[in-house]
Amino acid sequence: MASARPLHMISIMIERLRILTLPALALLLAVGCDTGANGASGRRQHRERQTNINTSSTSSTTGSTARPTPPPKRGEPVQWNSDTRLHRPKADRIWVFHQGRRFTLPIAEATRQGFTILDLGDDWTPVLLSEQSPGDAQPKPLPYRKRYLDLANDRADRRGHKLRRGKSNYLELYGIPPTPSVLKRRLGNKRLRACYATVNSEALKAFNSRISAWGFGFAMRKSRALRKVVNRKLRRKKLQRDEDLRRRKGGKRLLKKLRRAEMRGKAAQAALEVLRCEGLLTSRRRNKPKGDEVYKALTAYERKHKIVGRGVLTRTMARIMALSPDESDALALRRVIRERVIHTAGILEDGSAARLAKTYIANGRRVKLPNLVETFTNSALEGLGLTDARAVRAFLLAVPAPVLRDLRVALLLPAKPAYYSDNMDLEVVINRGDVYYDPPIRSGGEKVSQYRGRTPRLTLWVKYRGQRIPLIRWRTTVGGWKDEIRDGQVYLKYKPSDVGRRVWRDIIAAPVWIPPPSTPPKEIVRGRKIKTDNMGPGYLSAYGLVAALHLIPRKTRKTPKNPEGIKFWDKGIRTHGSYNYRSVRAGYSHGCHRLYNHKAIRMFSFILNHRPHDRVGLEPYPYLHRFEYKGRKYKIKVSNRGYVYRLKELLPVIVTRGRVLGKRKRPIKQYIKKPGVEYLPDAGTDPALSLDGGVPTPTPNTTPTPTPNTTPTPTPNTTPRSGPKTQPLRPTAPPTVQPGPRPTKRR
């Protein structure tokens, strides 16, 4: 009876107005009868959904494969355009991007709900270059961190000098990507965009060949010459079009040569225009630049766009040159976000290990081996709404520069595989691939081709419930034939990579390379100064930005200083980054295992994220080396070897023998005399060998053998003698090295 009066009033309203239909009446009745109940149930369902996402998000951070229940849609849509403005949130809040919308949450609440805090500001560095770990009472300063940030923000050059206006550091290939603020400043280059509008991008898209830096002029001249030949034939035969030549003898072949020559010539001309637009080619010889100038410009373009090349116009480089500046900036921002996602999420799998395994078993079922780098990067870009070049440009313009300098966002990234944990059982295997012990040169001076079908590879494995799962499989280097100095003369010497079981205990950030006395002076002296860039710390160091020592553990007597009774022998072999990224493609080094700098930083940051360790900081390492070169005396002094992280649990490393090719099955330990070089008689007990393997008998020499305290006069083909050998300030063997002769450090 209580509901009769409302129904009566509703019927009167229907009769008077005659606009409500029967379906609308039923909906109105449902709303009128259940208003209170639905309000309470809606709030209750919202709380249940919130509880579900909190529970699921927590499980996702611990390695669960279940996706969290999405929260209700709220906030503003993520639409980047000229009207969008992203203001700075309050100090205790953060921007959350999820399901196409953005809203703010307290930082603690966003973390509790399972969102990942991604730092897009100017003060971000990889884990490897941080100064404090969670739970540390005081930070341990890392001096190179400031230089890293100055380089990433285009504030200074490699020597620490202020960067000139309009100049940029293109250091992605060396492990130092630019910040989003740097990419934002690049958008203001209107001259660049106007210049790109005149480039023949279609010619670059159609290019499918290779042109060296010294072949640009020839390619353009050949195109013009063949065009003149074809035009002459058309006039002589009284033909109208090029295609009419196909009916003539030899015409089809001539047209094929013309099409290829024009394709190469137009692509070369368009590539030169791109290099001029970028400000990388400033030659006054506009139509005929020198090969050296083109090579320098091409290598600079490779560094800007993170292309591992050799200063050659290839199909890949031509496709990138054909992109507009906005598209190139979008790719650059994608690479920046990718590196930050990799280090923040603590992932590593990039699909490179697919040749070793396709699947693994998790929770009783077979799962495909993931490519987490690609998956997490795409998820972050989609969450931020950065799906195309237009959106990237609008995003960089929408965020004011002061906000972008310290911008942090919260994203819901995919769940990690089940084998992830805080302490992963990792193992490194380095396969040396094809190895030649034969000298790479004949007695007459001719080079010997030593083809390798199997290149050296480094694989990082994780052990999970009786399985060995490969995470990455990257190219690396092994030892080979190198120049080495002995008694002031340069010989050929085989620099081997040790085979067997080793361990990683010390990971060194911003390491210092200490040249051994056997290093030829020309490699450490430029002009009249020591090459400090080659020593480090810095991205141009021979060790790059990170190195791990290959140590051999040996049992010894337990002492109060060494309660575990283990000492470590260091034979000078390292796994490290390298500024010489082309040597990684070649596969040879002085015995160490090189990696691309950005990949080395990824791997060792991953290890620090998933293995317990102590932050030792700058470890003292006093070292002094004096030598003489071209009549001048030089001194190398080192106080520390870098910023040390010490793993609490040793990480095993296995270096395989590989496949030995060639005639020799064992490495040659002696020095080999280079053909065409005159050598002084061997004074030591270990004489140098000739290339045919015999020990040459020294011919009588009327020149007296110089004493150790005198400097001999070099012959035209002889490198001058070096000065005294290493004179350490005190015993140079660090605590981690077993007492004995100082090991030779190799690159």
Side-chain angles (χ1 to χ4, degrees):
M1 295 299 293
S3 61
R5 184 174 179 83
L7 292 175
H8 177 66
M9 296 299 297
I10 291 173
S11 63
I12 294 175
M13 293 174 63
I14 293 174
E15 291 177 358
R16 291 181 178 179
L17 300 177
R18 298 180 181 277
I19 59 174
L20 293 177
T21 61
L22 290 177
L25 176 62
L27 178 61
L28 186 59
L29 289 174
V31 172
C33 295
D34 299 333
T35 300
N38 280 346
S41 63
R43 288 190 294 271
R44 183 169 59 253
Q45 292 175 4
H46 175 73
R47 287 195 298 269
E48 291 176 356
R49 286 196 298 266
Q50 195 68 22
T51 303
N52 290 337
I53 184 175
N54 292 342
T55 305
S56 302
S57 300
T58 303
S59 64
S60 69
T61 58
T62 58
S64 173
T65 57
R67 286 296 304 271
T69 304
K73 291 186 177 180
R74 54 179 174 172
E76 303 175 3
V78 181
Q79 295 179 356
W80 302 107
N81 50 49
S82 58
D83 298 330
T84 307
R85 290 293 180 270
L86 193 69
H87 62 82
R88 188 193 303 272
K90 295 182 180 179
D92 60 339
R93 300 182 72 86
I94 192 172
W95 280 109
V96 179
F97 290 79
H98 186 59
Q99 290 189 345
R101 292 180 175 268
R102 66 174 185 266
F103 49 91
T104 61
L105 276 180
I107 297 177
E109 179 65 18
T111 305
R112 190 180 67 83
Q113 293 188 15
F115 289 97
T116 300
I117 308 300
L118 183 64
D119 189 352
L120 297 179
D122 294 351
D123 292 335
W124 176 89
T125 60
V127 175
L128 193 72
L129 297 176
S130 63
E131 295 182 325
Q132 190 172 9
S133 301
D136 289 350
Q138 295 292 334
K140 293 185 177 180
L142 174 57
Y144 189 73
R145 175 185 170 87
K146 182 180 182 302
R147 178 67 57 84
Y148 180 96
L149 293 174
D150 289 341
L151 292 171
N153 287 280
D154 282 351
R155 292 194 292 256
D157 60 11
R158 59 188 175 89
R159 298 186 183 278
H161 302 153
K162 186 177 180 181
L163 206 63
R164 289 188 297 172
R165 186 180 182 87
K167 297 294 182 180
S168 297
N169 293 316
Y170 303 129
L171 303 177
E172 286 190 78
L173 279 175
Y174 304 119
I176 308 178
T179 62
S181 296
V182 171
L183 300 181
K184 179 182 177 68
R185 290 196 292 269
R186 292 181 187 176
L187 297 179
N189 193 341
K190 296 181 180 179
R191 184 201 62 81
L192 176 67
R193 282 156 174 76
C195 183
Y196 259 87
T198 63
V199 174
N200 186 3
S201 59
E202 296 300 324
L204 291 169
K205 292 178 182 178
F207 181 73
N208 59 0
S209 182
R210 295 170 61 91
I211 304 177
S212 71
W214 291 265
F216 274 61
F218 175 77
M220 292 185 288
R221 290 194 301 271
K222 184 177 181 180
S223 175
R224 292 192 295 267
L226 282 176
R227 169 48 65 186
K228 290 181 180 179
V229 171
V230 170
N231 290 341
R232 193 181 305 117
K233 283 185 174 294
L234 290 176
R235 289 194 302 270
R236 188 167 59 247
K237 303 292 184 181
K238 296 182 180 181
L239 301 176
Q240 299 295 328
R241 301 178 305 167
D242 294 348
E243 297 300 325
D244 295 339
L245 281 175
R246 293 183 177 276
R247 298 191 299 269
R248 305 292 179 173
K249 183 178 180 180
K252 186 180 295 186
R253 181 180 178 184
L254 179 60
L255 284 180
K256 184 177 180 180
K257 292 175 62 177
L258 175 65
R259 296 289 179 260
R260 177 174 174 79
E262 286 186 336
M263 179 266 293
R264 290 170 58 85
K266 291 179 180 179
Q269 184 66 42
L272 291 178
E273 292 299 326
V274 170
L275 296 177
R276 291 190 182 97
C277 292
E278 296 280 357
L280 304 176
L281 183 62
T282 58
S283 173
R284 296 181 179 179
R285 300 161 56 94
R286 184 170 183 84
N287 295 325
K288 298 179 181 180
K290 295 182 179 179
D292 294 341
E293 296 173 338
V294 177
Y295 178 80
K296 183 178 179 181
L298 284 174
T299 53
Y301 189 87
E302 291 173 351
R303 292 194 298 270
K304 178 179 180 179
H305 297 276
K306 201 178 181 180
I307 303 172
V308 181
R310 297 180 179 275
V312 177
L313 179 63
T314 61
R315 181 180 179 182
T316 300
M317 182 181 289
R319 296 296 186 276
I320 296 177
M321 284 183 166
L323 298 176
S324 66
D326 287 348
E327 291 172 332
S328 298
D329 292 340
L331 289 178
L333 184 63
R334 176 185 176 85
R335 295 194 299 268
V336 170
I337 292 178
R338 177 177 62 193
E339 291 300 322
R340 300 201 178 192
V341 166
I342 289 172
H343 290 276
T344 302
I347 59 174
L348 191 63
E349 299 90 321
D350 58 359
S352 59
R355 290 189 177 183
L356 298 177
K358 300 292 185 183
T359 60
Y360 69 98
I361 299 176
N363 300 326
R365 60 189 183 91
R366 190 163 291 277
V367 182
K368 184 179 179 180
L369 200 66
N371 184 343
L372 297 185
V373 171
E374 192 71 16
T375 302
F376 276 56
T377 302
N378 291 337
S379 176
L381 291 173
E382 291 174 3
L384 291 170
L386 306 177
T387 55
D388 53 24
R390 182 203 60 79
V392 169
R393 178 178 176 83
F395 162 75
L396 292 175
L397 294 177
V399 183
V403 177
L404 189 59
R405 279 197 290 267
D406 55 1
L407 178 64
R408 293 196 300 167
V409 297
L411 302 169
L412 193 61
L413 298 177
K416 298 178 186 178
Y419 53 78
Y420 268 74
S421 66
D422 293 336
N423 188 4
M424 299 174 67
D425 191 359
L426 302 174
E427 181 185 53
V428 175
V429 177
I430 300 176
N431 189 330
R432 298 200 307 166
D434 291 343
V435 179
Y436 287 89
Y437 294 138
D438 298 329
I441 190 171
R442 293 190 176 95
S443 57
E446 306 88 0
K447 292 184 178 180
V448 179
S449 175
Q450 296 180 338
Y451 172 75
R452 295 187 299 173
R454 302 177 186 177
T455 54
R457 301 281 174 169
L458 181 147
T459 306
L460 181 64
W461 300 80
V462 59
K463 298 179 182 178
Y464 172 71
R465 295 185 177 180
Q467 305 174 80
R468 291 178 76 244
I469 305 172
L471 302 181
I472 51 99
R473 181 174 178 263
W474 291 340
R475 268 197 172 191
T476 185
T477 62
V478 294
W481 288 93
K482 299 293 180 180
D483 289 347
E484 187 163 327
I485 193 168
R486 192 190 79 161
D487 295 334
Q489 301 178 101
V490 179
Y491 296 84
L492 277 176
K493 185 76 165 61
Y494 187 80
K495 311 290 288 187
S497 296
D498 286 342
V499 175
R501 294 183 175 273
R502 304 291 185 265
V503 296
W504 285 350
R505 189 190 68 158
D506 293 344
I507 297 175
I508 306 177
V512 176
W513 173 68
I514 302 175
S518 60
T519 305
K522 64 180 181 180
E523 295 188 11
I524 54 180
V525 176
R526 179 187 290 113
R528 295 186 175 184
K529 295 182 179 180
I530 299 291
K531 295 181 182 178
T532 55
D533 291 340
N534 199 29
M535 294 177 55
Y539 66 91
L540 290 177
S541 165
Y543 285 160
L545 291 177
V546 59
L549 282 62
H550 285 231
L551 302 176
I552 305 174
R554 292 180 178 175
K555 293 184 178 180
T556 185
R557 184 169 56 89
K558 295 183 179 180
T559 62
K561 294 183 178 180
N562 187 10
E564 298 179 355
I566 299 177
K567 284 200 173 184
F568 299 89
W569 180 255
D570 180 9
K571 299 183 71 175
I573 301 297
R574 310 281 187 262
T575 294
H576 60 82
S578 177
Y579 75 94
N580 189 2
Y581 52 87
R582 292 173 183 169
S583 69
V584 179
R585 294 281 297 271
Y588 285 115
S589 67
H590 289 76
C592 290
H593 310 288
R594 301 176 183 175
L595 296 170
Y596 296 123
N597 246 336
H598 65 282
K599 288 190 174 183
I601 295 174
R602 282 187 197 178
M603 183 180 70
F604 289 113
S605 294
F606 175 85
I607 291 173
L608 295 179
N609 274 326
H610 299 285
R611 298 279 286 195
H613 61 274
D614 292 326
R615 185 184 293 266
V616 178
L618 293 176
E619 189 173 66
Y621 195 83
Y623 177 86
L624 180 64
H625 174 46
R626 301 178 188 272
F627 64 96
E628 188 174 336
Y629 179 57
K630 292 185 177 180
R632 297 181 63 88
K633 296 181 179 180
Y634 296 91
K635 180 177 67 173
I636 297 176
K637 187 176 181 180
V638 175
S639 60
N640 65 82
R641 58 175 180 170
Y643 196 86
V644 179
Y645 295 90
R646 186 154 292 160
L647 300 179
K648 295 183 179 179
E649 299 178 10
L650 303 178
L651 197 154
V653 179
I654 301 175
V655 182
T656 66
R657 185 171 183 267
R659 185 174 64 172
V660 179
L661 303 178
K663 297 180 180 179
R664 296 184 178 273
K665 300 305 177 183
R666 293 182 179 277
I668 302 174
K669 297 182 180 180
Q670 291 86 355
Y671 290 85
I672 300 295
K673 294 187 175 183
K674 304 177 72 173
V677 179
E678 297 181 6
Y679 290 91
L680 296 173
D682 295 308
T685 58
D686 184 16
L689 303 179
S690 60
L691 280 173
D692 57 7
V695 181
T697 303
T699 57
N701 194 340
T702 58
T703 304
T705 303
T707 60
N709 295 327
T710 62
T711 302
T713 302
T715 60
N717 295 326
T718 306
T719 303
R721 284 182 180 271
S722 64
K725 296 186 177 181
T726 304
Q727 298 294 333
L729 296 175
R730 60 185 186 185
T732 57
T736 59
V737 180
Q738 186 172 350
R742 180 177 181 80
T744 301
K745 298 193 181 317
R746 305 184 182 124
R747 289 179 289 164

